[in-house]
Amino acid sequence: MRMVFLGAPGVGKGTQAELAALKFGVPKISTGDLLRAAVVQGTSLGREAKEYMDRGDLVPDQVVIGLVEEKVGAPECTKGFILDGFPRTVPQADRLSELLMAKGQSLDKVVCFLIPREEVVQRLGGRRGCSRCSAVYHVEFVPPKNDGVCDECGKELVQRDDDREETVRSRLSVYEEQTAPLIEYYREKNLLSELNGSGPVDTVQKRLVALLSGP
Ligand code: AP5
């Protein structure tokens, strides 16, 4: 099971990738999480990436491709993986396909999550994440048991720097210009499935499981 979850910022890819990874027993590889971890660790890659991320721009292809190559080649990915937020440009998609081809593998499915733009803004505006683990909440739709505190590890919940309104606007236009062309790219390869991402998390999960369990 080798899959890509595609879609605009805030559409719910990360939330669904986490649940699907548990359900299907394959790792989730999120380039956003990997980059944020590098930022927190203060590595040179993290310092370089932060400038792009704070502006809502994409981090250069060669940086992200390097991160993914390392992960996809790891032993825990032999049974498959879910790529969340990668690829995001045509060169990234081409490189992924070369990488898999070199291992005699290919992608099985690309799921593109779709929700109306107003819902994206609402979801990103209320998103809160754990400052220690990668757990994600929403103040209204996915609230933690105790206000402002992670259910998993008890740490404080924070708002992502790039969830500020002006950065969200720029992330959405970057998505339209650079990532949305991948929808046609994967449709032409007969790999694309579109999924309605509206509604509560468990409703979307049921739709996703039905899609992934089908032929
Ligand atoms: P990344 O972290 O990948 O951000 P993104 O693609 O913008 O996606 P998000 O994490 O914002 O949203 P999501 O779809 O995962 O939604 P979530 O599940 O959290 O990337 C961040 C930055 O890193 C990029 O801008 C770029 O700079 C860089 N980067 C990353 N990958 C890169 C790449 N390949 N190339 C170059 N640069 C790269 O849900 C959102 C909120 O909604 C949450 O609060 C959640 O609780 C809530 N929610 C989820 N589902 C539902 C539901 N069904 N109903 C109600 N609320 C819901």
Side-chain angles (χ1 to χ4, degrees):
M1 184 175 263
R2 287 179 284 272
M3 288 178 294
V4 165
F5 284 7
L6 187 67
V11 82
K13 309 178 291 294
T15 301
Q16 294 300 331
E18 192 73 42
L19 296 169
L22 281 175
K23 166 124 190 114
F24 294 103
V26 292
K28 160 190 144 175
I29 303 171
S30 155
T31 41
D33 286 350
L34 292 172
L35 291 166
R36 278 184 291 278
V39 170
V40 169
Q41 286 157 14
T43 62
S44 60
L45 186 151
R47 284 194 297 275
E48 184 190 351
K50 189 172 186 330
E51 287 181 31
Y52 294 93
M53 295 166 84
D54 284 351
R55 288 198 300 266
D57 285 339
L58 294 185
V59 173
D61 286 340
Q62 68 274 17
V63 173
V64 197
I65 288 169
L67 283 176
V68 170
E69 278 182 355
E70 204 179 300
K71 287 281 167 189
V72 167
E76 58 269 27
C77 285
T78 38
K79 277 172 60 188
F81 50 75
I82 299 173
L83 282 168
D84 161 25
F86 181 94
R88 264 168 142 106
T89 62
V90 170
Q92 290 181 18
D94 285 341
R95 184 64 195 126
L96 174 63
S97 127
E98 283 165 18
L99 197 70
L100 294 176
M101 215 186 302
K103 288 149 64 80
Q105 298 173 347
S106 56
L107 283 176
D108 296 306
K109 228 180 237 314
V110 175
V111 181
C112 181
F113 291 77
L114 300 167
I115 65 171
R117 197 181 167 105
E118 337 52 282
E119 272 184 56
V120 162
V121 174
Q122 223 182 355
R123 286 188 186 182
L124 290 178
R127 173 163 58 187
R128 299 292 180 271
C130 178
S131 52
R132 181 190 288 153
C133 68
S134 53
V136 175
Y137 302 86
H138 188 282
V139 288
E140 188 183 341
F141 307 131
V142 190
K145 291 191 187 91
N146 298 306
D147 229 11
V149 178
C150 180
D151 294 350
E152 308 292 327
C153 71
K155 267 295 247 188
E156 179 201 9
L157 300 183
V158 292
Q159 185 164 28
R160 261 170 54 176
D161 287 344
D162 62 350
D163 279 348
R164 286 188 312 261
E165 208 182 317
E166 64 280 12
T167 319
V168 165
R169 267 201 299 275
S170 122
R171 285 162 63 203
L172 288 170
S173 45
V174 166
Y175 172 79
E176 290 303 331
E177 280 162 31
Q178 299 189 52
T179 307
L182 291 180
I183 297 176
E184 284 314 311
Y185 176 101
Y186 283 121
R187 201 192 309 277
E188 280 169 16
K189 294 183 188 304
N190 280 326
L191 285 171
L192 190 84
S193 297
E194 290 177 320
L195 188 88
N196 173 5
S198 285
V201 171
D202 54 347
T203 306
V204 179
Q205 197 203 358
K206 283 190 189 123
R207 278 184 213 130
L208 177 65
V209 170
L211 175 74
L212 298 182
S213 308

